[in-house]
Amino acid sequence: MTRILIVGGVAGGASAAARARRMDEHAEIVLFERGEFISFANCGLPYHIGGDIPSRDALLLQTPQSFKRRFNVEVRVFSEVLSIDRAARTVRVRDQQRGEEYEERYDKLLLSPGAAPIRPPLPGIDAPGVYTLRNIPDMDRILAALAHDQPRHVTVVGGGFIGLEMMEALHQRNLPVTLLELSDQVMAPVDREMAAMLHARIREAGVDLRLRTGLSAIESLERSSDPTAEVTAAERHGLRLHLGDGTTLDTGLLILAIGVKPETLLAAQAGLELGPRGGIKVDAGMRTSDPDIFAVGDAVEELDFVTGDPALVPLAGPANRQGRIAADNMLGRAEQYKKTQGTAICKLFDLAVASTGLNEKRLKQLGMAYEKVYVHPGSHAGYYPGAHPVSLKLLFAPDGRILGAQAVGKDGIDKRIDVLAVAQRAGMTVFDLQDLELTYAPPFGSAKDVINMAGFVASNHLKGDSPLCHVSDVQALRADQLVLDVRNPGELDKLGRIPGALNIPLDELRGRLDELPRGKEIIVSCQVGLRGHVASRLLQQHGFAVKNLSGGFKTWQMAIAD
């Protein structure tokens, strides 16, 4: 009978325990969790704080009792695994409630310690009123502080998934919120021009968004020394944040959402090999450098799907799949984890932002050859009410292989990125996207779906039928180039224009070709790229050297926005 010990629950550990039981009814399975909760919806924590999920109990997916009844897994909460003796194949455990330590033997050991929120060593980082969000107790502490201290202002540091979700949750509680982000954009998995739409939406909601602004120190202060002031006693204490630009910001509560780092201390102390990114090194079967010890989840380094390089991708989907694979292999199977694409989505008010694969920033860092296109079609047929633009960026290799994709919009963002994630994993190219047969009815899509449109544009570019250029090309316009805007004059007056562009509406273009210089390359622009494509085909066949601005004026606006 195999004896399996699992360190840590939630996505990876709990999934592994359940899978191991389904595969072997007779195995002895013990799961240790240093906290109180073994299986909870950590991705749902901000949504309970914001009120979208009213019931706290809805976040508790399994209890030790329910796990025992259904899976016959012995769960020991408040039990911290202190060390691993690989030679003896034992672990040392501290029962935190009794204050006792003991040893347990294993045949196979699974590590699922997760990742911890980053708390940089700043002055005042441990001051009262400074919080992070990782688990149920963290959430409870934040809710208690909001109820008891009744802050008049809250600051969130970090514009990633947790930072944006917490910003929205606090905004929904009618609290003034400042969001600080050290880089020039929120949501690092997408490129800056795509994030520009998020910046606009955040500011539209009334949130004080400060990009390129870091936190340098935290100071506790008396918010009011006047006992007659219209604040409660609890409110008189707050925080003064010293920012990297030399300014200060007074706030009542601070949420740190700077990022996470893998919990590797236990593995490192046991002599297990760590990878170049600082996570636990595992093979495709989720084995560590010790064949009897496996590791899964946010603490491990997996391989990037596109490059094959080690990567840290703290997402629930990969952790669940890794737990399943590790359980199979601990029980004698030979399953393999097939790399990580990093497919993810985030809600931001009425917008969604999603991505899969590599972004342009990463491709540039790697020095990889790539092409890109932008499309902005409607989420469904424009003549059916309720259609919203889907802004999609597709990155691909010169041979058409899909490298990554990003999308922002109000509707249909998840299904477009999901389709592209499947296409990428299946080894499809942009040429294949033209032929995908996707569902169509006016309330749900268009006869030419957003995915098809991206495939058309990318394929036309690679075939030379409609060569593309990008905003950076327009910004570095040469003397032998001319920008031609083929929108109607009213659109230019209402929506804006590219400086210096010549305007000839598309429907007048055939009759006004003599206004274009033959000795210059014509860069055609319209609103989103479709009319530009029609114009570029027309001009090519009349002997002009032409490129179409991918995504048109809308992409131009995104790229130059702050």
Side-chain angles (χ1 to χ4, degrees):
M1 182 172 64
T2 304
R3 192 163 202 264
I4 297 173
L5 302 186
I6 299 175
V7 181
V10 198
S15 294
R19 174 67 174 177
R21 174 57 69 224
R22 291 195 299 270
M23 300 307 296
D24 188 343
E25 177 62 21
H26 304 291
E28 186 177 356
I29 307 170
V30 183
L31 190 155
F32 300 97
E33 173 56 54
R34 64 185 171 192
E36 180 181 358
F37 305 99
I38 60 153
S39 183
F40 62 91
N42 52 356
C43 295
L45 301 178
Y47 297 108
H48 179 58
I49 292 173
D52 297 291
I53 301 173
S55 172
R56 178 180 181 274
D57 290 343
L59 301 174
L60 305 178
L61 306 180
Q62 291 282 356
T63 65
Q65 296 76 24
S66 67
F67 220 63
K68 177 67 174 178
R69 287 193 302 268
R70 178 159 297 181
F71 297 110
N72 190 28
V73 171
E74 182 182 352
V75 177
R76 302 181 190 176
V77 294
F78 298 114
S79 297
E80 181 179 10
V81 175
L82 302 174
S83 61
I84 303 167
D85 186 332
R86 292 166 53 194
R89 294 206 292 188
T90 61
V91 298
R92 187 155 193 83
V93 185
R94 176 189 292 129
D95 184 322
Q96 295 176 338
Q97 292 180 311
R98 297 181 181 179
E100 299 174 352
E101 294 184 10
Y102 61 94
E103 290 186 348
E104 288 285 355
R105 180 191 63 82
Y106 66 83
D107 295 313
K108 302 294 180 183
L109 175 65
L110 175 68
L111 304 180
S112 179
I118 294 173
R119 294 180 68 95
L122 300 176
I125 194 70
D126 296 320
V130 179
Y131 298 90
T132 58
L133 181 64
R134 181 190 187 187
N135 51 34
I136 296 283
D138 289 343
M139 179 189 73
D140 290 342
R141 282 189 285 270
I142 291 171
L143 286 170
L146 292 172
H148 180 263
D149 296 347
Q150 299 176 10
R152 292 188 174 183
H153 180 273
V154 182
T155 299
V156 178
V157 181
F161 290 94
I162 295 297
L164 292 180
E165 289 165 357
M166 278 304 303
M167 175 271 295
E168 182 177 353
L170 296 164
H171 181 271
Q172 287 183 190
R173 295 176 68 100
N174 297 315
L175 287 166
V177 183
T178 294
L179 177 62
L180 304 178
E181 170 54 53
L182 183 60
S183 77
D184 62 355
Q185 69 165 88
V186 301
M187 194 50 60
V190 304
D191 291 309
R192 192 180 185 283
E193 72 277 17
M194 302 298 288
M197 289 181 281
L198 309 180
H199 301 161
R201 186 65 187 91
I202 292 168
R203 289 170 174 141
E204 180 186 331
V207 173
D208 175 25
L209 173 63
R210 305 192 191 185
L211 301 172
R212 307 176 191 86
T213 306
L215 180 64
S216 56
I218 303 165
E219 176 188 357
S220 294
L221 54 82
E222 288 283 337
R223 187 175 296 174
S224 174
S225 58
D226 180 2
T228 65
E230 293 183 2
V231 292
T232 66
E235 272 193 294
R236 293 191 182 114
H237 298 279
L239 300 168
R240 175 160 292 159
L241 309 182
H242 295 262
L243 308 181
D245 60 5
T247 64
T248 61
L249 172 66
D250 289 354
T251 192
L253 202 69
L254 177 63
I255 308 292
L256 295 176
I258 299 171
V260 296
K261 58 182 179 180
E263 291 262 26
T264 59
L265 181 61
L266 183 64
Q269 289 178 340
L272 299 177
E273 187 176 353
L274 302 184
R277 302 296 302 278
I280 302 171
K281 185 176 181 179
V282 293
D283 65 12
M286 308 314 298
R287 293 177 185 83
T288 68
S289 52
D290 185 318
D292 292 322
I293 303 178
F294 294 70
V296 299
D298 296 353
V300 308
E301 289 188 7
E302 55 257 63
L303 298 182
D304 179 86
F305 183 82
V306 176
T307 66
D309 295 334
L312 294 170
V313 186
L315 295 172
N320 274 278
R321 294 194 299 277
Q322 291 165 6
R324 178 185 178 93
I325 289 167
D328 283 354
N329 293 338
M330 285 190 291
L331 292 167
R333 293 199 171 190
E335 301 294 334
Q336 291 193 335
Y337 182 71
K338 298 177 181 179
K339 304 179 183 177
T340 295
Q341 294 166 272
T343 308
I345 190 167
C346 182
K347 175 183 176 294
L348 181 69
F349 301 112
D350 55 352
L351 291 180
V353 53
S355 64
T356 191
L358 299 183
N359 58 32
E360 188 174 1
K361 297 188 294 282
R362 184 63 178 147
L363 290 168
K364 286 181 176 179
Q365 290 171 355
L366 294 168
M368 291 181 63
Y370 70 93
E371 301 281 352
K372 62 181 177 179
V373 298
Y374 300 87
V375 295
H376 305 282
S379 55
H380 60 250
Y383 58 83
Y384 188 89
H388 298 284
V390 173
S391 291
L392 176 71
K393 178 179 184 178
L394 179 63
L395 296 148
F396 51 98
D399 62 2
R401 287 178 298 113
I402 298 169
L403 300 176
Q406 305 157 33
V408 179
K410 292 185 177 182
D411 181 42
I413 301 303
D414 51 349
K415 72 176 182 178
R416 270 69 187 217
I417 291 298
D418 284 343
V419 168
L420 288 170
V422 172
Q424 183 185 48
R425 185 165 288 275
M428 299 174 72
T429 69
V430 296
F431 302 106
D432 297 313
L433 299 182
Q434 303 174 100
D435 301 320
L436 290 183
E437 188 174 333
L438 304 172
T439 57
Y440 163 58
F444 303 105
S446 300
K448 297 177 182 177
D449 188 77
V450 177
I451 301 297
N452 301 130
M453 295 297 293
F456 294 148
V457 177
S459 299
N460 284 337
H461 173 64
L462 291 180
K463 292 174 182 177
D465 293 339
S466 186
L468 298 174
C469 67
H470 299 286
V471 172
S472 59
D473 300 308
V474 178
Q475 291 174 320
L477 199 68
R478 303 191 309 265
D480 63 343
Q481 292 176 314
L482 171 74
V483 178
L484 172 64
D485 194 322
V486 297
R487 294 176 296 165
N488 295 322
E491 293 178 82
L492 276 67
D493 295 337
K494 180 180 179 181
L495 302 172
R497 65 182 70 202
I498 296 173
L502 173 66
N503 177 223
I504 302 177
L506 175 61
D507 294 341
E508 301 176 14
L509 187 56
R510 281 187 182 86
R512 298 174 62 179
L513 293 177
D514 58 348
E515 298 179 31
L516 298 175
R518 289 282 177 178
K520 290 193 175 186
E521 181 179 66
I522 309 299
I523 293 179
V524 183
S525 174
C526 65
Q527 185 60 26
V528 296
L530 180 57
R531 283 173 289 175
H533 168 62
V534 176
S536 69
R537 291 298 301 152
L538 186 160
L539 291 171
Q540 274 183 296
Q541 293 174 77
H542 281 276
F544 288 91
V546 186
K547 288 181 180 175
N548 185 20
L549 177 60
S550 183
F553 184 73
K554 182 166 183 175
T555 300
W556 165 273
Q557 287 182 306
M558 291 160 49
I560 66 172
D562 182 17

